[in-house]
Structures are given as C-alpha cells and as structure tokens.
Amino acid sequence: LEIIGEEESVAKSTLCDEYGDTSGSKGHTASTACCICGGGIVTKFNPSPSIVPTYAPSHQPTLSSSPTVTAAPTNDEVIALKAIFYSTNGTGWTNSEKWLSNESFCFWHGVHCDQDNRVIYLSLPENNLAGSLPSKISTLMHLRALRLSRNNITGTIPDALWSLQNLKVIDLSYNSLTNSIPSAIGALLKLNYIALNGNNLTSSIPSEILPLENLQHLDLSHNGLNGSLPTMVEDAFDDMQFLSLGHNYLEGPLPDYIWDHEDFMYLSLSKNHFNGTISDEVGKMIDLEYLLLDSNSFTGNIPTTIRSLNRLYFLSLGLNSFDGTVPEDICFIRENGYLEHLWADCDDNTCNCCTACCDRSIRVCKEQ
C-alpha cells in the first residue's frame, strides 16, 4: 500500500471513530467506548489489536524536508498554492510558515516537491483551514497526495480534483464537505487511499469508485450517504484491504462481491439500514481482523464459517435481528484465537463467550 506521509494506526483510529465519540453526549472520548447506540453504559476496552494490522504502511517514502532547488518555481503552481491560501483563510492557519514568502514554495509548510521542483504532496491536516477549495488546484498536475483532514473545508468536493491524474491519496476526512461524491472520482486510476469520512456527504455511493484497481483503503463513514450499494460491478474492491461505510443511511441487502475478497482486513458496515442475510462466503475472508456489522437489520443465522477467520480480533454483531444464538464455532475462536471482542444480542438468550451483550429492546450494549 503506497501512502505518502505519516500514517496513524489505521485500525486504532478508525475503531475509535466507530465506537468512541459517536453520540456527542456525556463527554465520551476516543479512549472510552460507549454502547453501540450511544448514550448508554460506558465501558472501557483497548481497541488496539494485539498484532499490528498488515495494512499499515511498512515503509515511508523519502520526502526531503529541505528539497534541493535546482530550478525556478513554475508560475502555475505558485498561483494554485496562493489560491488555496486565500480561499481557506490562510492568515488564520495554525501554521503558515514561509507561505507567500520569497522562498521557493517547496519550503512552504506542508508542501513537498520532487527533484524537478514540482509539487507532489500537500499536507495541511489540523491546520485550521476554513473555506472552500479553489478550482486552481487543478494546476497542481503532479500532485500525488492531498491531505487536508480535520479542518473546516466547506462546499462541495471541487471538480478540479478529478483532473489530477497522478493522485494516489485523497484525505479530506473530518471537514464540512456537502453534496454527493462525484462519479468522476472513477477517473483517478492511481488512487489507492480515499478518506472522505466525517463530512456531510449525501446521495448514493457512485459505482465508478468500486472498480478502481489500485484502491486499498476506502473510508466513507460518518456521512449521510443513502441508497443501496451498487450491484453487478465487475472487479469491485479488487485490491481492497480496508472498507468503512459505517454511520450512514445505506440500505438493502449486501451484494455478493462484498464477501469475495480474501485481502480484506477491516470491514465496517455498522449503523446503517442494511438487511438480508450474511453470506457463508464470509469465511473466505481469511485475513479479516475487524468485522463490524452491528446496528443494522440483518436476519437469518450467524454463519458458522466465521470460525475460519483465525485472525479476527473484533466481531460486532449486536442490534440486528439474527436468528438463534451465537454459534459455538465462533465461541471457539473467542477462546482459542485472536478474537478479543465479541458483541452480540443477548436479550433472548445467553452468550457465554461474548464480551458485550446487546439488548435490542432498549438499544443498549453492555460489556460483561
């Protein structure tokens, strides 16, 4: 997985997003986990797996903090960077060191250039950017990574982004973006990391995003997305390892291609309106470490094939309408495998191997 720049532990941070401060009440933080529905009994657990997931980047690309400048800056890139500065209230940024100075833009805070002094990486997370992204961003033609998470970027995702054919990483998570995810995102064939979680995006998930052959990380959680997942998409999620669609308004049965990938390590569909059954094919996802299906309307039996998931660390099945009890096969991996957290509905029966029991009548889960 090629991700440019410093990465946090993906599984840990996303799990905190999923089960930490989701209700916005009672002072919950990322270090305290409340019940799935929020506002219930607060319990503590360690969301970090005992083994670091292998989808975390194994190395970091070399990006010199002091690049060697061998040519004069290109006028178009200077204009684009200045447009970003002015349109996002650059004077109010937390760190705007060297921006608009006479020094080469390759030395401006958050800007990284290649050996030909072309901007390849723009990283300004948690930097108090406020406003919309300008269309001039389209002139950063060599940009490979755009990381602007946890700011106050507003408006829609600019169409200008979809002309940046070298983009591999887009992280606009936890901003205030609105409207839909444009289907034009499917034109960026080199993308391997998309994080648009924590915004106010609506409408359905465009089918064009699914066949991106290099895409390994897709996080669209904590938005207002609706509709069903696209069906009959050829080569959907071919190289995917991390998929988070939780905390939306998605509905309908899950398409078969969801279960047809052995490389998945993290799959979260929690807090939506999905229904139907969970396919026995889930047992083929042998690298899966997190399977979060809670707070939907799933029915049928819990597949016993889950026993085959020997690397599973967190399994959340609660607040659904499954038939019967948690299979003994799943209790087996709870007792003999890596499975540390097992959440299931216990209102009608007892789950001796569960670490948290959920009561559907009052929408509360409680650690045992």
Side-chain angles (χ1 to χ4, degrees):
L1 173 59
E2 182 176 359
I3 297 177
I4 304 176
E6 183 176 355
E7 279 290 301
E8 297 176 354
S9 172
V10 175
K12 180 176 180 181
S13 62
T14 306
L15 192 60
C16 288
D17 292 340
E18 289 283 348
Y19 293 104
D21 193 12
T22 59
S23 66
S25 63
K26 299 185 182 296
H28 301 324
T29 68
S31 64
T32 62
C34 65
C35 73
I36 298 174
C37 58
I41 300 172
V42 178
T43 58
K44 293 186 177 181
F45 70 95
N46 177 13
S48 302
S50 57
I51 296 179
V52 177
T54 54
Y55 52 75
S58 58
H59 66 278
Q60 297 292 338
T62 301
L63 290 172
S64 172
S65 59
S66 299
T68 301
V69 179
T70 59
T74 63
N75 191 51
D76 286 346
E77 291 190 312
V78 172
I79 292 173
L81 292 173
K82 287 183 176 180
I84 294 171
F85 182 88
Y86 289 123
S87 66
T88 59
N89 190 32
T91 58
W93 290 1
T94 303
N95 188 342
S96 59
E97 183 181 0
K98 297 186 180 180
W99 276 76
L100 308 188
S101 71
N102 291 328
E103 289 201 51
S104 165
F105 57 72
C106 295
F107 293 98
W108 296 0
H109 170 69
V111 178
H112 297 267
C113 298
D114 63 13
Q115 61 185 4
D116 296 318
N117 307 311
R118 301 174 303 193
V119 178
I120 59 171
Y121 177 35
L122 181 61
S123 178
L124 297 167
E126 298 184 79
N127 203 44
N128 203 34
L129 278 68
S132 59
L133 294 177
S135 60
K136 289 289 186 182
I137 198 172
S138 64
T139 60
L140 299 176
M141 295 301 297
H142 302 282
L143 195 65
R144 300 177 194 169
L146 179 66
R147 293 191 174 278
L148 303 176
S149 62
R150 298 185 183 273
N151 285 291
N152 190 29
I153 298 172
T154 57
T156 61
I157 303 173
D159 290 338
L161 276 183
W162 316 130
S163 64
L164 302 179
Q165 294 295 312
N166 289 302
L167 265 181
K168 297 182 179 181
V169 175
I170 296 178
D171 188 352
L172 299 174
S173 59
Y174 295 101
N175 280 285
S176 299
L177 295 168
T178 57
N179 213 329
S180 60
I181 302 171
S183 60
I185 194 171
L188 301 184
L189 301 180
K190 295 182 180 180
L191 279 174
N192 62 31
Y193 185 104
I194 301 173
L196 299 175
N197 49 302
N199 282 285
N200 300 308
L201 299 171
T202 56
S203 194
S204 58
I205 297 174
S207 59
E208 290 81 0
I209 203 172
L210 304 186
L212 289 172
E213 61 181 11
N214 294 305
L215 190 60
Q216 296 186 357
H217 180 114
L218 177 61
D219 193 341
L220 304 178
S221 64
H222 295 269
N223 277 292
L225 299 173
N226 54 61
S228 58
L229 295 182
T231 58
M232 302 299 291
V233 177
E234 187 175 355
D235 299 325
F237 300 141
D238 244 11
D239 208 23
M240 189 74 68
Q241 296 182 10
F242 181 106
L243 177 63
S244 182
L245 303 177
H247 297 258
N248 281 292
Y249 301 97
L250 299 168
E251 60 187 17
L254 299 178
D256 291 339
Y257 61 74
I258 286 287
W259 314 112
D260 192 27
H261 299 284
E262 295 182 0
D263 294 333
F264 264 129
M265 295 181 180
Y266 184 103
L267 176 60
S268 173
L269 305 174
S270 62
K271 290 192 175 180
N272 280 287
H273 301 299
F274 289 120
N275 56 39
T277 61
I278 304 301
S279 171
D280 288 337
E281 298 295 301
V282 65
K284 295 181 179 180
M285 305 172 77
I286 56 176
D287 287 334
L288 201 60
E289 297 177 8
Y290 290 81
L291 179 59
L292 310 178
L293 303 174
D294 60 86
S295 305
N296 282 287
S297 298
F298 291 122
T299 57
N301 294 320
I302 299 171
T304 58
T305 54
I306 291 177
R307 175 176 176 166
S308 302
L309 308 181
N310 292 325
R311 297 185 180 182
L312 198 61
Y313 175 81
F314 200 118
L315 176 61
S316 183
L317 302 169
L319 303 179
N320 280 290
S321 298
F322 289 117
D323 297 333
T325 61
V326 175
E328 286 298 321
D329 287 324
I330 296 179
C331 288
F332 177 85
I333 61 170
R334 168 76 181 96
E335 297 163 359
N336 299 280
Y338 289 119
L339 187 60
E340 291 290 335
H341 300 280
L342 173 57
W343 293 19
D345 294 324
C346 306
D347 44 330
D348 295 329
N349 49 69
T350 301
C351 175
N352 294 325
C353 64
C354 290
T355 61
C357 276
C358 307
D359 188 334
R360 288 174 290 191
S361 64
I362 56 176
R363 308 295 293 177
V364 169
C365 294
K366 181 180 178 181
E367 287 277 352
Q368 296 195 124

